[in-house]
Amino acid sequence: LIQNNNINQVDGIAITANPEGNSNARMDLTIRQNTIVANAYGGASHTNNGEIAISLRNAQGNSDLYFDVDDNDFDNYSGEFALAIVEVEGGDTTTTHGRINNNQFLDAHFGSPIGLNPDGGHTSGPGTPTNFDFIVSVTTNTGPGSMYGAGIYAVGYGGIAGSNPNAQITLTGNTFNAVPSGVYQRTLMVDFGGFNRGCFNITGNTLAAGNGGSNGLDFYYQDNVIMQLQGTTGSTDALATTRLTSTNTVAGGVFVGVLNNITSATCTTPTMPNPVP
């Protein structure tokens, strides 16, 4: 439990957790009601920048991570290099469950506030199938004053034929009103491919337009990926676009594509960490 702390003048990562190994090691982690402030932003690639506030990388072996990042304030972070201020990665044969809830991001100078990476990279060796569970919800987060990249991104690639990845991602009630300044950046971005598989529940979000007035919500999938969208009424990209447009407030419009093969499902919600005092 990491709670009610003031962590100031951070150069680098404030909190990092990397469960790993091949004996089903389990970590239960709660990070709540903290104020985490980096050094004053000094411009792109400045040596004193705080790049990442919280890094949760569960990408090795068959370890289990259960986390709750709740009601924290983040300020002065750049988000550069690793791209996100709060980042979560899961892959190989790991199990990753958790939520990022009710956090406030004041800046994301050269990156994104929240990054999800169910990447499925087969780190145990070439040709090894990827079988992982990545069950994460991102709810009621707000900010920032300015940001370079997407407010929220979820990127899933890796894996090979025969893999059985399972990404179940809920993105609801978030408000990101800043327009990304990075070229081709959208305010909420989903990008899945390879032999990945993803179920998404995306509702109730308020999103600015993307860079240059482009789509505020981009839902892109390709290759041999299997994609599901909770609440869609058919299997076409057009129907998924209608669903996302009607259940979110998005400036600049919504894009879904490109396989024209997206089906409805009820996405799994994460199991929270064991209770803490």
Side-chain angles (χ1 to χ4, degrees), residues 149-157 169 171 180 183-193 200 202 205 207-211 213-222 227 229 237 240-241 244-245 248-259 262:
I152 304 168
Y153 70 81
V155 176
Y157 278 85
I169 297 174
L171 308 172
V183 178
Y184 304 123
Q185 295 292 322
R186 314 296 188 250
T187 306
L188 193 160
M189 296 178 63
V190 174
D191 187 359
F192 267 51
F200 284 82
I202 304 176
N205 301 287
L207 306 169
N211 177 270
S214 60
N215 301 307
L217 196 164
D218 191 272
F219 195 96
Y220 181 78
Y221 64 113
Q222 64 176 336
M227 289 294 273
L229 177 66
D237 293 343
T241 300
L244 292 171
T245 301
N248 299 275
T249 302
V250 184
V254 172
F255 172 82
V256 177
V258 293
L259 298 180
I262 182 168

Side-chain angles (χ1 to χ4, degrees), residues 36-57:
I36 304 177
V37 182
N39 283 325
Y41 179 61
S45 303
H46 195 282
T47 56
N48 289 331
N49 288 346
E51 289 86 28
I52 310 162
I54 298 174
S55 177
L56 308 178
R57 291 185 173 269

Side-chain angles (χ1 to χ4, degrees), residues 52-149:
I52 310 162
I54 298 174
S55 177
L56 308 178
R57 291 185 173 269
N58 186 26
Q60 303 264 344
N62 62 1
S63 52
D64 301 336
L65 172 64
Y66 295 84
F67 70 88
D68 185 13
V69 177
D70 181 55
D71 197 20
N72 302 282
D73 292 330
F74 303 98
D75 193 10
N76 272 348
Y77 272 88
S78 67
E80 60 190 324
F81 303 130
L83 299 180
I85 294 171
V86 175
E87 59 168 12
V88 184
E89 180 181 1
D92 252 4
T93 55
T94 61
T95 297
T96 304
H97 279 247
R99 71 170 182 170
I100 302 169
N101 176 67
N102 198 36
N103 300 282
Q104 296 79 45
F105 297 86
L106 298 183
D107 292 292
H109 295 285
F110 210 72
S112 297
I114 299 171
L116 306 179
N117 300 280
D119 59 8
H122 37 84
T123 56
S124 57
T128 301
T130 296
N131 304 284
F132 66 84
D133 287 321
F134 185 93
I135 319 295
V136 175
S137 67
V138 179
T139 54
T140 64
N141 300 280
T142 60
S146 63
M147 63 185 181
Y148 182 85

Side-chain angles (χ1 to χ4, degrees), residues 91 115 159 172 196 202:
T172 60
N196 218 314
I202 304 176

